[in-house]
Amino acid sequence: ASLLLLEDIKPAQFLMLAFSRPAAQEFKIRLAKLVPGLGRHVDIFTYHGLAFRLLGKMGDIAHSKNVLKDATLAIREDNAPMEKVAAKNVIILDEFQDVSADEWDFLQSILEKASEDTRIIAAGDDDQSIYEFRGASIQHMRSLIDNGATTHFLTKNYRAAANLVAFSH
């Protein structure tokens, strides 16, 4: 919301990738409340949802197994309509600690087509990576940092009760 309001970045210049459909929906609702009129024009997808969109297919569980690999290949072979994605100046990645190798490769193929000044904002906590069983790896997050990403530590907790936060410290 602050980028839309304070930096005058247009909604069409944003792409947000969330880990799950409920998370994507929650972001859409929150953004629409924070920035009425502008927020609902920001593209917010799951990785799989964007892959299906780029392949021109309807998404469902039965066809989702290889959709990221198929979309990555289509992007790299210039067989996917990248005009809309290539115009994005800001790509926001939620729960980045849970990104799998297929999601990372898909993201890399998108970034290969993006402009050089595309800003990546990745939110994640390497202490909360819980999806290793499905191929998630914090190495992808560390790769961004190793390649010069600036790290910011969020010190205020909005999810847990104060006693839980105090206990964990």
Side-chain angles (χ1 to χ4, degrees), residues 15 17 43 45-59 67-76 78-88 91 103 105-111 113-114:
L15 171 63
L17 295 175
D43 286 334
F45 297 99
T46 63
Y47 288 85
H48 287 81
L50 179 59
F52 277 116
R53 172 77 53 103
L54 292 174
L55 291 173
K57 297 179 179 180
M58 293 296 293
V67 71
L68 292 171
K69 289 179 181 180
D70 294 345
T72 300
L73 183 63
I75 292 167
R76 290 198 169 127
D78 293 323
N79 291 325
M82 295 300 293
E83 301 81 20
K84 191 173 180 182
V85 175
K88 304 299 183 187
I91 299 177
E103 290 159 340
D105 289 342
F106 177 62
L107 176 62
Q108 291 300 304
S109 70
I110 290 170
L111 293 176
K113 303 295 182 181

